[in-house]
Amino acid sequence: MLRYWTAGESHGKTLLALVDGFPAGLEIDTDGIDVELRRRQGGYGRGGRQKIETDRVEVLSGSWQNKTLGSPIALQVINQDYKIERLQDLERPRPGHGDLTGAIKFLGPIRAILERASARETAVRVAAGALAKQLLETFDISVIGYVVELGGIRIEPQKATLTEQRKLRDTSEIYSLNPDQDAKIKQLIDDTGEAGDTLGGIVETRIEGLPFGIGTHAQWDQKLDGKIAQAVMAVQAIKGVEIGLGFEAARRPGSKVHDPIVYDETQAKSRNLGYTRPTNNAGGLEAGMTNGQALVVRAAKKPISTLRQPLESVNLETKKTHTAQYERSDVCAVSACSVIIENVVAFEVACAFCEKFGNDNITEMQARFELFMKLARER
Amino acid sequence: MLRYWTAGESHGKTLLALVDGFPAGLEIDTDGIDVELRRRQGGYGRGGRQKIETDRVEVLSGSWQNKTLGSPIALQVINQDYKIERLQDLERPRPGHGDLTGAIKFLGPIRAILERASARETAVRVAAGALAKQLLETFDISVIGYVVELGGIRIEPQKATLTEQRKLRDTSEIYSLNPDQDAKIKQLIDDTGEAGDTLGGIVETRIEGLPFGIGTHAQWDQKLDGKIAQAVMAVQAIKGVEIGLGFEAARRPGSKVHDPIVYDETQAKSRNLGYTRPTNNAGGLEAGMTNGQALVVRAAKKPISTLRQPLESVNLETKKTHTAQYERSDVCAVSACSVIIENVVAFEVACAFCEKFGNDNITEMQARFELFMKLARER
Amino acid sequence: MLRYWTAGESHGKTLLALVDGFPAGLEIDTDGIDVELRRRQGGYGRGGRQKIETDRVEVLSGSWQNKTLGSPIALQVINQDYKIERLQDLERPRPGHGDLTGAIKFLGPIRAILERASARETAVRVAAGALAKQLLETFDISVIGYVVELGGIRIEPQKATLTEQRKLRDTSEIYSLNPDQDAKIKQLIDDTGEAGDTLGGIVETRIEGLPFGIGTHAQWDQKLDGKIAQAVMAVQAIKGVEIGLGFEAARRPGSKVHDPIVYDETQAKSRNLGYTRPTNNAGGLEAGMTNGQALVVRAAKKPISTLRQPLESVNLETKKTHTAQYERSDVCAVSACSVIIENVVAFEVACAFCEKFGNDNITEMQARFELFMKLARER
Amino acid sequence: MLRYWTAGESHGKTLLALVDGFPAGLEIDTDGIDVELRRRQGGYGRGGRQKIETDRVEVLSGSWQNKTLGSPIALQVINQDYKIERLQDLERPRPGHGDLTGAIKFLGPIRAILERASARETAVRVAAGALAKQLLETFDISVIGYVVELGGIRIEPQKATLTEQRKLRDTSEIYSLNPDQDAKIKQLIDDTGEAGDTLGGIVETRIEGLPFGIGTHAQWDQKLDGKIAQAVMAVQAIKGVEIGLGFEAARRPGSKVHDPIVYDETQAKSRNLGYTRPTNNAGGLEAGMTNGQALVVRAAKKPISTLRQPLESVNLETKKTHTAQYERSDVCAVSACSVIIENVVAFEVACAFCEKFGNDNITEMQARFELFMKLARER
């Protein structure tokens, strides 16, 4: 069973992800993980902290001669901005954050909550996901994440291969698949920042190359769509998750939603076994299992909760009205969010992939993958 | 730890939910559960099977003298339409279902998949959720589910108290909070059915009376928003989940999203401890915890996958093109879906509630609830 | 992931095991399960209830045309002695049972505890285990359980093949591998019963045919020895668990404990790959993984807690001293215990086996098993 | 839910325990943890490595102003002897270790297995347990671990209070409760070491001050005896676990095993609520729950697997017979084992304690503890 948890506070010593059940024999590309970490820190609209930190991953365990051992992999990202012990508590909870509710639940300081509830934690969720992507890539499964809407402006992806789309995205300061629209979006971010306000947006993740049958229909808590939804919704600031058409599927008649099944013998050796679909409205998941099509997930990120023009709040001691406290923050982190969602989705898919193909070692997994493709073609 | 799993096939002998960790000392109202089961079978647009079945729950274990024992509660709903052993396998997988992908994953018959992947399973997810609601009601926590959109038509809820809204909903054949619109919706369903097509929609669940601090921010897999998203997305035919504003939150600036915190001393004894919020865009959840406001969840249900005018498919043996097989089905089950989502959300909230207040017995839970409210007011 | 839970009270309607994640394509032999259920009810020294009940399993879900579907399998054993609703509460808790502690923990009646804490629940743990054994047998993995000590009398197994040992055991009324000693043991049981007392004993389970590498060393909660110990210790009345030499291993020097590794080319095609061990003091488990040798587990069962000559207790209302209440019981259930432990151990091994070889379907599992043996020989 | 996992290799950079769900508001005494770490490294019979390492814990996360935050606590013990990258693979697997079986399972090097399977990992299991003990101590629950048998020599504990016993143990180089016997045991260890052999033994853990009802009887995988057995058996080199009388319970008649219940009004305010037991053969656990008596667990540790006079083994490449490889090791680590078992048992008890009393924060837990004691007395 592949699984992971994280530890660490926003201004604590370090952030950690403990990845358990990762297969043996994979060469870890730490530079590849660092690329994702740096992408998470970038995107237009970020503020001061991202200049302080240059996140780098350190593999603390689970590796020997740069190959995974099959034992737990501890991934560390050290906080350059470690200063928790010098920080004070807050008096006025910030709307949108867990400040108020956490202080009451735990009967303690707001600081105790915000340090852990902070999206800083996603650095190591990204690290874990980036590692999982390296596993998926071994099986020619490719993952891409990008922004499709920001501050209410829809950014239509340019149609292209996934490789070309990666290039488009990497030239876009917004991490969209349509860099031509960057200027318009950047202007919106600048204007919003000047007004002391913040922006949210919608990000999309697509995974190509998945075989049939990752995930299961058999028990509700094992379905892949449910697991992805959990992982995504549990990312800070996410308020909505969609698979495939998502909410739009609720608005069309069935004949315009379900993807016909067409057999194309020329593709019989490919991952879809020849069962092509003229559309992919299901987003690659039917009955909690992958269906040979690209997996498509979207997430809605609310605007950053910390406003330079703070919202109304209350001093918890005096109960007097007061604007919320301000802790340094960004105007927009939707681009970063596209990186986070891409990686957390990849991790869940890798878990279900290991559930199907085992997680002892890469050699055996690959032999089993081929075996399954053979058995599947013969069915 | 409160948890549950289900068993049972669509045309098997029986459906079962095994609810483990349910507190002792609650009087089970089986009639109340049956009301939910019958609501799940109703709503305008259902077809033949719902007339065959009149689901009733049977409590097979975990109860004595009509009170829960603290031991596992097995809930059974017998299939009147038990005939699996007389049924044949399918040859042409139905788009939108797990037929194709499951047959390949399990290297076996389509029948093996569809019987379990069928939404018939939700009968016992509803039963488990209805039981969980009875636990929540002991703490004056109220749950309501209803339809807010069907086939693309938005049905604006009438503003009212939750009790009044329940009455509205129960007079609506659509299970909306605006029965005046029933006629229009019914016409759409009739027209669609005549065309051999199907419809989806959007349902909403609201839970009132929750205290602060159900759920936690501390580890990603323990956040309540994530758990709700998993439970909802793992319901058959769901393709999207939203909390509070959901996707709309991604489109507004932060100042129009985050809910200001206002202290109102006159409400200090109520569940929000006096911390009122002029808006509830967060849908009652901040940082994975309840914040004293109503919890609001929405789900997008795709149209029923089985069309009387079937979509294109393939005969798995011959690989020849052919329309998909047709198994008896409905035109629209969005109303039923509102019942399902209401109950699966209620179960997740009850789990997190037990995580906070314990699950040994009602007496102790109630004393702890009062204790927490007292400590919270004193914080 | 293969897993199971149970539900049901001693005098409730029914007992249930919900087995989740069982592979598709196995022909369930319900008669074979019933044999185990009847064996659990037998053995010399049982009292009245076992004559009332003749346990039979019913498969409520997860099967079609007598083959498993890959969906959850609900196994039911109906209580012929269903009468919980007519039963009264107890006033004087019985030492050795959970009566006192459960009544306090749950702040309720003793009846609420004893009905679930009763060893009657093991009927469905046996049913689940018997199903798991059928899965293991598909891979030529054989399981046997027997009594090795009763009331302090050691019963040395006769050396023989596992098949011969099964015959020996089935001719022994004690379920030992040395029926010649039955008379002596039976006399002890009779004498003890007449004195109003009860007896315990030690049982052993052995599993042959396991390949290398079931279980893992990598995380403490995933080690097979730990999982077996949990499953066994969680059986009613078990107070000790040993693997291989067990406590005796603590008393010998290392040179007399660890099993030398000897390569025998003639066995290279067998499950041990030629790596034979002159001794099997490890009981088939090193570092939480199977090592190609027979897996050997022992459990210590305390005597039945309900004595016809009851021990001293207290009336919970009056706090007055009084002998404990007596509910019909047996003199000795060590033979039954050998059946229970055999089956619960088999289930855990099957879980770890599925973790290694997958749990989608038998066809793929078998192909993977062969693949692994091939890769292992080539390593 | 309180839980933990570990990461790290024997000669890797670092060892980590990630403790999730630990309550907020506890002042962590890192010196107290270090005391346990140093005790784990001590005891008569240890070899070279223990002189290289002086383990110290570092709290990497989950703490602010020296108090726990309610967020995950990462505990680090750095390996002074970090050199994994300079180490070679082994050719000849060492009997008793996971070398052979792991190399086959993972189809890779022996080094990949032994580094993680090594008992070095227990350093952080001890750290996690020591933290859990600090939580238990807040509730006046005391834990002690000691050696009761070594190399076949039984060391009878001197009767004394737990505090006095701690002093006795800390004066014993063997960590027994009878330092008078140290000389004899040390002689045995010296003699064995000179012969190139190793020794095992039996350790006992006792926990005093537990209330009724920690753990549950209701589902097999939630019983506290099962959870303790898993945690203990999953410790490296453990081959047996006993609770209370353990295997001896299997040898006595019921009348000499079960602990009578006697009411003593003068103790009504103590944790046993006045329900005293003249004996404690159950070891504090009946039906998977604590019963107000001291919890008593014993574990059998096999001798260290690495012998200076190595056992017979095989070169995996050549298949030629050869003595097993020797990696630096100790003669006897039974004293250390008493520390490990003490701490892993404490962690499991703390988990079940949090399951009963919640794990949000110490303040609320303490108020609930008192509330439960009051309700329990009134039952």
Side-chain angles (χ1 to χ4, degrees), chain A residues 32-222:
Chain A
I33 298 176
D34 287 346
V35 166
E36 296 297 282
L37 292 177
R38 251 168 271 134
R39 287 213 305 122
R40 194 198 70 97
Q41 295 188 279
Y44 196 81
R46 307 307 295 280
R49 178 153 188 187
Q50 307 315 326
K51 292 180 184 107
I52 295 172
E53 306 276 1
T54 307
D55 289 342
R56 299 189 58 174
V57 75
E58 188 182 1
V59 178
L60 295 183
S61 73
S63 148
W64 178 53
Q65 299 178 341
N66 208 30
K67 282 201 174 161
T68 57
L69 290 170
S71 43
I73 299 171
L75 301 174
Q76 174 169 259
V77 175
I78 285 183
N79 279 328
Q80 255 91 44
D81 196 21
Y82 166 38
K83 60 179 179 188
I84 187 170
E85 295 301 346
R86 285 180 285 125
L87 293 172
Q88 303 296 313
D89 194 16
L90 273 64
E91 294 178 325
R92 290 123 46 199
R94 299 160 306 160
H97 282 293
D99 295 6
L100 174 63
T101 199
I104 292 170
K105 175 185 175 71
F106 291 94
L107 302 171
I110 289 174
R111 173 70 54 200
I113 309 311
L114 78 87
E115 283 290 333
R116 177 66 187 158
S118 160
R120 175 83 188 124
E121 181 247 5
T122 58
V124 281
R125 290 190 76 187
V126 165
L131 181 65
K133 281 199 296 189
Q134 295 182 9
L135 174 61
L136 294 174
E137 279 159 17
T138 308
F139 294 87
D140 290 321
I141 297 165
S142 302
V143 187
I144 184 170
Y146 42 87
V147 174
V148 293
E149 192 174 317
L150 199 156
I153 303 177
R154 168 96 194 136
I155 315 168
E156 205 61 45
Q158 295 184 24
K159 294 238 184 298
T161 66
L162 190 140
T163 308
E164 291 163 349
Q165 287 189 332
R166 273 218 191 99
K167 276 183 205 153
L168 281 170
R169 182 197 66 189
D170 293 347
T171 61
S172 163
E173 288 183 73
I174 305 301
Y175 300 0
S176 82
L177 298 188
N178 200 334
D180 300 347
Q181 303 218 28
D182 277 17
K184 184 169 63 173
I185 303 286
K186 285 163 68 178
Q187 188 63 50
L188 174 66
I189 293 173
D190 288 344
D191 294 350
T192 305
E194 273 168 40
D197 214 333
T198 58
L199 290 171
I202 301 175
V203 301
E204 187 168 286
T205 292
R206 204 168 71 245
I207 306 190
E208 297 190 356
L210 287 165
F212 278 92
I214 305 307
T216 181
H217 69 299
Q219 188 65 276
W220 73 267
D221 69 351
Q222 299 295 303

Side-chain angles (χ1 to χ4, degrees), chain A residues 278-308:
Chain A
T279 51
N280 181 21
N281 293 330
L285 283 166
E286 288 170 305
M289 299 175 279
T290 57
N291 67 357
Q293 304 299 113
L295 192 148
V296 182
V297 179
R298 260 183 315 285
K301 183 191 179 301
K302 68 179 183 182
I304 287 173
S305 300
T306 307
L307 307 189
R308 202 160 43 72

Side-chain angles (χ1 to χ4, degrees), chain B residues 324-340:
Chain B
Q325 222 139 335
Y326 178 68
E327 294 230 335
R328 185 193 52 202
S329 193
D330 302 334
V331 173
C332 177
V334 178
S335 305
C337 183
S338 73
V339 183
I340 298 162

